[in-house]
Amino acid sequence: MDKLQAMTAFVRVVEGRSFSKAAETMSLPRSSVTTTIKSLERHLGTVLLRRSTRTLSLTDAGARYYELCRAVLDDIARVEGDLLADPAAPKGRVRVDMPGAIGRARVLPRLREFEQRFPGIELVLGLSDRPADLIYDGIDCVIRTGELTDSTLVARPLGQLRWLTCAAPRYLKEHGEPKHVDDLAAHRVVNYIANATGRPMSWRFSVDGEERSLTMPSRFSINETDAYLQCGLEGLGLIQLSELVASPYLETGRLKEVLADARCAPVPISIVYPDGRNASAAVKTFVDWIVEVFRPAPAVAATR
């Protein structure tokens, strides 16, 4: 039995929660992965995985063995990466996930620059409003908004995101403009469905220095940013969305911000990835580039 391959197969099964997914990532038949895990369990003299028709879970011994295998494989990858990597020309594939609005507004317009500077790095970009699971989905790094709770990940700050309450001129002409948060009771809104919970997101405001979170009734609820924006542009109701998305439409007059004095506090944006000691040179390069992309442009002195 090839112990290194067996450890790799075991880790892939655990992280993919599937024998089939592990086989796919290793370019092996599923039967080979199944046989390898059975041989590994016989070699160790213990059961590592509990299997049923629908679920796959670790035994106590399996959980301990997984942590050891993960550490060994990470060490091997780090040593090989240090030996083979050319700091001046990083190579490899980097899988990234980010909110679609952030990707379209800040990252996609700079991809040609990235390609020219780092031709040896292949990017696999996922743009979605649904948050990705780094381990289960095999993602190297993600851009996330809001406070982060997973202490096992490395997070580098990218800035802050402001949320604006907006409406189309058509809507404001028909229904008037709210001047105070309390006026919202007489207005129509379009709710945004959070993919993580399946429920409408609360409408957040800051009133007299205090945060207020409102649950708003709505005839329309949408779970995708572009469609949500389109509802606002069509005059179906007030919408609350990030400044990144709203800015082009505010500049052209297709949207107007309302309740600007009640904006909620901005939320942080971060790029997040597993323990930096185990990140590949390509991942580190991409993370450094993203930090550079989000860095504010230097102020230009006024001239007479």
Side-chain angles (χ1 to χ4, degrees):
M1 179 180 62
D2 183 331
K3 289 185 181 180
L4 185 58
Q5 185 182 48
M7 294 168 70
T8 302
F10 176 66
V11 167
R12 297 286 180 88
V13 169
V14 173
E15 295 182 348
R17 304 176 194 176
S18 162
F19 280 83
S20 297
K21 179 168 282 191
E24 181 181 343
T25 61
M26 297 180 70
S27 300
L28 293 173
R30 185 185 187 281
S31 58
S32 296
V33 174
T34 301
T35 300
T36 297
I37 299 302
K38 288 181 178 178
S39 298
L40 183 61
E41 289 178 324
R42 283 197 300 270
H43 171 73
L44 296 172
T46 187
V47 176
L48 301 173
L49 294 165
R50 298 187 189 93
R51 309 163 179 82
S52 71
T53 55
R54 294 187 177 182
T55 61
L56 190 68
S57 61
L58 287 166
T59 63
D60 290 342
R64 293 196 302 272
Y65 190 65
Y66 167 75
E67 294 297 334
L68 292 171
C69 288
R70 181 73 273 175
V72 169
L73 295 175
D74 285 345
D75 284 344
I76 292 173
R78 184 169 64 253
V79 170
E80 290 183 343
D82 290 343
L83 288 174
L84 300 175
D86 178 358
K91 296 180 181 180
R93 173 182 292 185
V94 180
R95 295 193 63 189
V96 189
D97 191 84
M98 66 190 72
I102 292 176
R104 285 185 288 270
R106 301 298 293 273
V107 180
L108 297 186
R110 301 283 294 272
L111 284 185
R112 183 176 294 277
E113 169 200 320
F114 183 87
E115 179 186 29
Q116 292 171 346
R117 289 175 58 183
F118 310 108
I121 298 179
E122 175 190 352
L123 291 182
V124 180
L125 301 178
L127 274 64
S128 171
D129 293 345
R130 184 181 300 276
D133 183 311
L134 272 77
I135 300 301
Y136 180 70
D137 295 318
I139 305 297
D140 294 304
C141 54
V142 299
I143 296 177
R144 287 180 175 164
T145 61
E147 299 297 333
L148 303 172
T149 58
D150 193 336
S151 60
T152 66
L153 301 175
V154 177
R156 292 184 61 180
L158 299 178
Q160 293 185 318
L161 195 64
R162 294 193 297 178
W163 291 88
L164 314 181
T165 305
C166 304
R170 173 181 174 182
Y171 173 86
L172 297 175
K173 182 178 180 180
E174 294 175 355
H175 301 277
E177 180 178 337
K179 301 299 182 182
H180 190 274
V181 171
D182 293 337
D183 296 341
L184 292 175
H187 280 267
R188 299 176 62 178
V189 305
V190 180
N191 275 326
Y192 183 83
I193 301 293
N195 281 289
T197 64
R199 297 190 296 271
M201 293 182 64
S202 298
W203 287 60
R204 297 173 55 239
F205 299 93
S206 178
V207 180
D208 297 328
E210 294 185 0
E211 293 288 325
R212 289 180 62 178
S213 181
L214 305 179
T215 300
M216 307 284 288
S218 175
R219 294 184 62 189
F220 302 102
S221 298
I222 310 293
N223 71 342
E224 196 275 331
T225 300
D226 285 345
Y228 182 68
L229 168 64
Q230 191 62 36
C231 286
L233 294 173
E234 294 293 335
L236 296 177
L238 302 171
I239 56 176
Q240 197 169 66
L241 70 173
S242 73
E243 187 175 25
L244 278 176
V245 178
S247 288
Y249 302 93
L250 295 172
E251 292 171 1
T252 61
R254 296 188 65 191
L255 287 177
K256 179 182 178 181
E257 183 181 6
V258 299
L259 301 174
D261 58 349
R263 285 180 181 173
C264 63
V267 299
I269 312 174
S270 309
I271 185 162
V272 183
Y273 55 102
D275 189 341
R277 293 172 299 177
N278 299 320
S280 70
V283 171
K284 292 178 181 178
T285 297
F286 178 78
V287 170
D288 288 342
W289 179 75
I290 282 291
V291 172
E292 181 183 321
V293 165
F294 277 79
R295 185 178 297 132
V300 178
T303 58
R304 294 184 178 181

